[in-house]
Amino acid sequence: MKVWNRKFACLFSVLLWAVPVLSLGSALLLFSSFPAYAAGGMSRLADFADLLSDNEESELSDLLDEISDRQQVDVVVVTVDSLDGESAMVYADDFYDYNGYGFGDGRDGILLLISMEERDWYISTAGYGITAITDAGLEYISEIVAVGLSAGDYAAAFTDFAGLCDDFITQARNGEPYDADNLPQGSFGVGGKFAAAFLTAFIISLIATGIMKGQLKTVHRQPAADNYVKQGSMQLTKKNDLFLYRQVERRRKTESGSKGGSETHTSSSGTVHGGGGGKF
C-alpha cells in the first residue's frame, strides 16, 4: 500500500509540473499562429470590399507586417464598398487615427484607401510617413498603383504600393527623401510591366511585318502617285484648298523656387496628415 501511495504521489507531481508547461506551450503556439498587428490591434490589411482571394490576403498581410515592423512605419491597405458620404481624405484619416495605426509619438505610417462605389483612392500619411512620401513622391506612387487599380488587378496594385513605400522610407532614412528633383528613375510595378509588355509586342510586330514585306517579291515601291493612275482615267472639274489641321506644341512652364516637400492638414482627431488621392 505504501509503494502504491508513493507511485501515486510521484505521478501526481509529474502532472502538476506537466500541466503548466503544456498550457504555456499551447499559449505560445496559439500566439504564433496569429498575424502581426499594428499598435492599436488592427490588422494592416482591412479588405472590407473583399477584393482579394484568401491566398492574396495572406501574402499581402505578411508583406505589410514585414515592412512595417522592419521600418517601424505602419504600411496599411484598406478597401471599402462605400465612403458613406464622407470624402476620401476624411475617411482615410479617421480610419487611421481611430484604429490606432502608427509607430511612436508621431504615429508614423502610410495608409492606402480604396472605395469601390465612388472609385476613389486616397493615400494618407502621418508622422515619418509625411517625411518619406512627399507630394511629388505621392504623385509618382499613385501613377503606378492606379494602373493596377484601373485594370482590376488589386493584388498587384497593393503589392506595388507596399514595395514603393518600403523604397521611399529607405531612401528617406538614408538622408534625402525622394522629391520633385530626385524621383526614382525608370518604372516600377504594374506600370513597368505594362510598358515592357507593350515594347515586346511592338518589336515582335515589326519583325513580323518585316518578314511579310520581304516575301512580296513581285511588288515594288513607286516613287510617285502618278504611277498608280491610268493615264486619261481621271479628270479634275473643280479644285479648292481646304484647311485640315494645325499642330500646336505646348510645354509645361517650370515654376521657379519650387521647394517640394509635403502639404499637411489636421484631421478630426487633431493628428497632422499629408496625402492625396484621385479616381481609378
Side-chain angles (χ1 to χ4, degrees), residues 15 62 73 81 118 137 277:
L15 289 175
D62 290 344
V73 176
D81 292 318
E118 295 84 0

Side-chain angles (χ1 to χ4, degrees), residues 32-109:
S32 63
S33 66
F34 283 98
Y37 290 93
M42 190 75 173
S43 173
R44 294 185 178 99
L45 173 60
D47 185 23
F48 297 119
D50 199 21
L51 303 180
L52 304 174
S53 68
D54 291 343
N55 288 337
E56 289 171 341
E57 281 192 17
S58 178
E59 291 178 1
L60 182 58
S61 291
D62 290 344
L63 178 62
L64 294 173
D65 290 339
E66 190 279 324
I67 293 173
S68 299
D69 292 335
R70 172 168 45 83
Q71 296 282 15
Q72 294 293 285
V73 176
D74 268 335
V75 180
V76 182
V77 173
V78 180
T79 73
V80 295
D81 292 318
S82 171
L83 297 175
D84 298 326
E86 298 283 0
S87 69
M89 181 187 77
V90 170
Y91 197 108
D93 290 348
D94 286 351
F95 193 95
Y96 185 95
D97 295 342
Y98 295 112
N99 284 291
Y101 292 112
F103 278 86
D105 295 336
R107 306 284 301 276
D108 305 338

Side-chain angles (χ1 to χ4, degrees), residues 94-247:
D94 286 351
F95 193 95
Y96 185 95
D97 295 342
Y98 295 112
N99 284 291
Y101 292 112
F103 278 86
D105 295 336
R107 306 284 301 276
D108 305 338
I110 308 161
L111 180 145
L112 170 63
L113 169 71
I114 302 298
S115 178
M116 298 307 294
E117 181 178 311
E118 295 84 0
R119 307 294 290 179
D120 277 345
W121 64 266
Y122 193 88
I123 296 175
S124 177
T125 58
Y128 197 76
I130 298 174
T131 301
I133 311 296
T134 63
D135 290 344
L138 182 71
E139 182 177 355
Y140 179 91
I141 292 174
S142 65
E143 288 178 355
I144 296 171
V145 173
V147 175
L149 296 179
S150 298
D153 194 351
Y154 301 109
F158 299 154
T159 300
D160 286 342
F161 167 74
L164 286 165
C165 287
D166 192 13
D167 292 340
F168 273 62
I169 296 168
T170 298
Q171 173 67 19
R173 295 203 188 282
N174 287 338
E176 184 179 4
Y178 285 127
D179 210 338
D181 57 349
N182 69 325
L183 288 172
Q185 299 299 315
S187 299
F188 289 87
V190 175
K193 295 173 186 175
F194 178 81
F198 179 82
L199 180 60
T200 301
F202 180 72
I203 293 174
I204 292 174
S205 65
L206 285 179
I207 296 173
T209 54
I211 294 173
M212 289 187 291
K213 180 179 178 181
Q215 294 174 346
L216 298 175
K217 303 296 183 182
T218 60
V219 179
H220 301 282
R221 179 182 177 185
Q222 299 297 327
D226 292 345
N227 294 326
Y228 295 96
V229 180
K230 184 178 180 180
Q231 296 296 327
S233 64
M234 184 178 70
Q235 296 181 351
L236 294 177
T237 58
K238 182 180 179 181
K239 64 178 181 178
N240 59 345
D241 296 327
L242 295 176
F243 176 78
L244 296 179
Y245 64 91
R246 65 179 177 179
Q247 181 175 348

